[in-house]
């Protein structure tokens, strides 16, 4: 048996097409502002990828690439300006930030209505309360991928390996909101295999190459590999591998590849979130105008 491949790119294209169609119904193309601080090559490459994809689907976007020495006060001033600018619909601050800047202070400062990464505590709280919110991109992209490939979630046993704020925790909330029975495992979990073998849907988001081996997977399970790990192969070249051992394909019913699985969903979901933010801001302004309130 070889697992069905849950490819990301066609699903990301479907999500982007839907976002572009919704964007075209708004009075102006949604506008995303991406802020990066410092010269970390990986961060700068992610920022370029996000900006390029935004342009491809017709979203307006601007990148503020700030110097490594930028102070927290300077960054907060920029965020305040962007918060007040009605022409800016989405604000993304690329993480990680240099040591002199407290990540929490920055994430708290972004207007929750423009928080397209879904990291503001208000959005985190709404997500866990089961109410609509701007939701972190990788987990939201995974939900779209499962839905698109017809993987049943309601009633399923879902196990997530990894409890980060970026992936594991918000995905647990989304799966719970979609009526799965959810377990979150992590680096202190005892006998990880006995937990993962329970899963109808197993999500590996640990950042450990090959962590999930065939004996840890229930036959026929859907396995979502979030891991992106750069490893040196015997040919001396760097390769991207996931957290799931390749032999899992012989046991799982369906499996996302790395690369080409969850990765493309993340950027697509960021742009979908930007359109969503613009729609909500537009609707809020229309409500105020209808109520006779002055709107700038
Ligand atoms: P993180 O380091 O913040 O969190 C890793 C989590 O995995 C922690 O909760 C830790 O407890 C758990 N963990 C680590 N080793 C473990 C082990 N041996 N057994 C059980 N649990 C273990 O990482 P993150 O930001 O959540 O990212 C996880 C992986 O997903 C990384 O490889 C990252 O590159 C990748 N990632 C991919 C995308 C994408 O778009 N595909 C997006 C975000 C992250």
């Amino acid at each position: 048996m070889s697992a069905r491949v849950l490819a990301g790119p066609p699903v990301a294209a479907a999500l982007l097409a839907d976002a572009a169609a919704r964007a075209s119904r708004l009075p102006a193309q949604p506008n995303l502002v991406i802020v990066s601080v410092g010269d970390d090559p990986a961060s700068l490459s992610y920022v370029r990828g996000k900006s390029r994809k935004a342009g491809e689907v017709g979203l307006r976007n601007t990148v503020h690439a700030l110097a490594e020495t930028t102070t927290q006060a300077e960054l907060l001033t920029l965020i305040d300006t962007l918060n007040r600018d009605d022409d800016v619909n989405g604000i993304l601050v690329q993480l990680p930030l240099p040591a002199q800047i407290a990540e929490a202070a920055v994430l708290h400062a972004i207007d929750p209505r423009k928080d397209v990464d879904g990291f503001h505590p208000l959005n985190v709280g709404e997500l866990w309360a089961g109410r609509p919110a701007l939701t972190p991109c990788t987990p939201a992209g995974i939900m779209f991928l499962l839905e698109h490939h017809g993987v049943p979630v309601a009633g399923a046993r879902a196990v997530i390996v990894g409890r980060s704020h970026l992936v594991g925790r918000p995905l647990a909330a989304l799966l719970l909101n979609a009526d799965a029975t959810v377990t979150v495992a992590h680096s202190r979990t005892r006998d990880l295999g006995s937990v993962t073998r329970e899963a109808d849907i197993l999500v590996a988001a640990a950042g450990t190459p090959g962590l999930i081996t065939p004996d840890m997977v229930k036959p026929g399970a859907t396995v979502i590999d979030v891991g992106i790990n750069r490893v040196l192969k015997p040919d001396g070249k760097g390769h991207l591998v996931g957290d799931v051992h390749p032999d899992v394909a012989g046991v799982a019913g369906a499996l996302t590849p790395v690369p080409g699985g969850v990765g493309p969903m993340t950027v697509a979901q960021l742009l979908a979130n930007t359109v969503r933010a613009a729609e909500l801001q537009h609707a809020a302004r229309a409500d105020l105008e209808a109520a006779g309130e002055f709107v700038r």
Side-chain angles (χ1 to χ4, degrees), residues 189-285:
T189 297
R190 279 197 297 269
D191 193 3
L192 185 61
S194 71
V195 178
T196 57
R197 271 190 298 276
E198 295 272 308
D200 303 310
I201 299 172
L202 175 59
V203 182
T208 307
L211 174 68
I212 306 298
T213 47
D215 58 302
M216 297 167 76
V217 177
K218 175 156 93 177
T222 296
V223 180
I224 305 293
D225 192 352
V226 186
I228 300 181
N229 310 292
R230 191 170 290 279
V231 296
L232 219 51
K233 289 241 169 126
D235 62 8
K237 292 190 185 144
H239 291 258
L240 288 185
V241 300
D243 289 353
V244 175
H245 192 282
D247 290 351
V248 167
V251 181
L255 176 62
T256 60
V258 177
V262 173
M265 297 308 302
T266 299
V267 180
Q269 187 64 49
L270 166 68
L271 304 179
N273 279 1
T274 305
V275 175
R276 181 84 192 117
E279 286 172 341
L280 293 171
Q281 291 155 27
H282 177 61
R285 287 170 68 84

Side-chain angles (χ1 to χ4, degrees), residues 24-74:
S24 69
R25 291 194 284 272
L26 287 164
Q29 276 297 319
N31 186 12
L32 170 66
V33 175
I34 305 173
V35 182
S36 71
V37 186
D39 4 85
D40 174 49
S43 289
L44 291 173
S45 143
Y46 285 136
V47 166
R48 274 195 302 276
K50 289 168 183 177
S51 169
R52 189 176 56 241
K53 195 49 100 177
E56 274 171 30
V57 296
L59 299 193
R60 292 182 290 150
N61 68 95
T62 312
V63 174
H64 290 268
L66 308 182
E68 181 81 33
T69 50
T70 302
T71 64
Q72 181 169 313
E74 285 166 341

Side-chain angles (χ1 to χ4, degrees), residues 46-180:
Y46 285 136
V47 166
R48 274 195 302 276
K50 289 168 183 177
S51 169
R52 189 176 56 241
K53 195 49 100 177
E56 274 171 30
V57 296
L59 299 193
R60 292 182 290 150
N61 68 95
T62 312
V63 174
H64 290 268
L66 308 182
E68 181 81 33
T69 50
T70 302
T71 64
Q72 181 169 313
E74 285 166 341
L75 181 55
L76 292 178
T77 302
L78 173 62
I79 290 171
D80 185 51
T81 306
L82 298 171
N83 282 343
R84 290 166 188 274
D85 185 344
D86 288 338
D87 194 39
V88 172
N89 303 110
I91 304 169
L92 180 149
V93 177
Q94 183 67 38
L95 302 177
L97 293 165
Q100 74 275 16
I101 301 177
E103 198 174 286
V106 172
L107 298 181
H108 288 214
I110 296 173
D111 183 333
R113 292 165 298 190
K114 300 187 178 187
D115 169 37
V116 286
D117 252 345
F119 294 155
H120 190 284
L122 192 111
N123 283 320
V124 176
E126 294 286 30
L127 173 63
W128 279 101
R131 289 192 291 261
L134 289 170
T135 308
C137 300
T138 301
I142 291 170
M143 295 304 290
F144 191 86
L145 188 82
L146 290 172
E147 191 187 344
H148 190 95
H149 283 291
V151 177
V153 173
R157 292 292 300 263
V159 174
I160 304 163
V161 183
R163 58 175 163 183
S164 73
H165 294 280
L166 190 65
V167 186
R169 287 169 199 249
L171 182 60
L174 283 170
L175 285 165
L176 199 56
N177 293 347
D179 297 326

